[in-house]
Structure formats: structure tokens, C-alpha cells
Amino acid sequence: MFKEFREFAIKGNAIDLAVGVVIGAAFGRIVGSLVDDLINPVLGLLVGGIDFSNLFVALNGESYPTLAAAREAGAPTLNFGLFLNAVINFLIVAFALFLVVRTMNRLKREQPAPAAAAEPAMRPCPECLSAVPVKARRCSFCTSALAPAA
């Protein structure tokens, strides 16, 4: 069992997957910072100084100045501002991955090879003029013997 696990762990696919997960986690943190520290302040300014991370509804009916104050008081809250941040994060990550996959697909497409002068696959039979394969030694239609192809 240990040998099987070692073979699995050493295979290129498992290592590639591990590298992808680590890079994905780092990329997620970068996108999170981009949304929280750059995009949301600008969006908040454009819509009247609203901080999206503090958009919430306290379910107990009381009013709290910030989400941190509501959490400190132990109030149940619907945090739609944090949800909005998560949606923006997702859209940015999805768009970035779309660009990466599209680029990789373009790179993987094989360019058609230039057409080489291919030898004909068929030749005419001298007796019945039927098309027979170049390497044929006998015509499949009239059964006459064929000279080797030149």
C-alpha cells in the first residue's frame, strides 16, 4: 500500500495538482486584496461612500454601526456586503482563469503542416483502366498482373 501511495504521489499529475492548489490559494489572496483594498473603496465612493463589508442586516431588529459591533454583541446578521465581495472575487478569478485557459487552448492548437507533395495512393490498371493501389501486384477488377510501381 505504501508503494502504491508513493507511486501516486510521485506521478506528475499529483505534483502538478499540488502546485496548482498552492498557486490558486495565493492567487485567491491577491484577488481578495484587490477587491477589498482597491475595487470596493472605489465602488463605495461612486455609490456614496458605502463600505460593502459593512452592509448587513441584524436579524434581532437592533441597529449596529458596523458588522464588527454586531458580531461583538452576538447578533445574528445577514452579511450581504461580504457576499457581494465574494461575488466580485469570484468574477475576477473566473475571468482570469478564462483568459489563462483560452490562451493555453490557443497555444495547444496544432498549426496545419504545410502540404507536402504526397505520392498518389492509386494508379490505373493498364488493362482495364480501373484505379488500383500503387503497391498492388494484381488488379482487383480484371486480375491482370501489374508491373511494380515506378
Side-chain angles (χ1 to χ4, degrees), residues 9 16 37 62 89 119 144 148:
D16 291 344
D37 301 331
E62 295 183 27
N89 282 350
E119 294 182 25
S144 63

Side-chain angles (χ1 to χ4, degrees), residues 1-90:
M1 186 157 100
F2 178 72
K3 182 180 177 184
E4 274 184 283
F5 177 73
R6 187 181 71 202
E7 288 175 9
F8 168 75
I10 292 175
K11 282 185 182 178
N13 293 343
I15 293 171
D16 291 344
L17 179 63
V19 169
V21 168
V22 170
I23 290 175
F27 184 69
R29 277 187 255 149
I30 290 170
V31 171
S33 176
L34 173 73
V35 170
D36 294 338
D37 301 331
L38 298 177
I39 294 175
N40 283 345
V42 173
L43 285 176
L45 182 65
L46 292 175
V47 294
I50 298 172
D51 180 12
F52 288 118
S53 63
N54 277 322
L55 293 177
F56 68 97
V57 173
L59 297 177
N60 62 1
E62 295 183 27
S63 179
Y64 300 95
T66 64
L67 179 59
R71 285 185 174 169
E72 191 175 302
T77 58
L78 288 177
N79 307 321
F80 60 90
L82 294 177
F83 177 73
L84 184 60
N85 285 351
V87 169
I88 294 170
N89 282 350
F90 170 77

Side-chain angles (χ1 to χ4, degrees), residues 123-150:
R123 66 179 172 153
C125 170
E127 296 295 324
C128 67
L129 299 177
S130 299
V132 293
V134 172
K135 294 183 179 181
R137 294 186 304 180
R138 192 166 288 278
C139 178
S140 60
F141 298 100
C142 67
T143 67
S144 63
L146 300 175

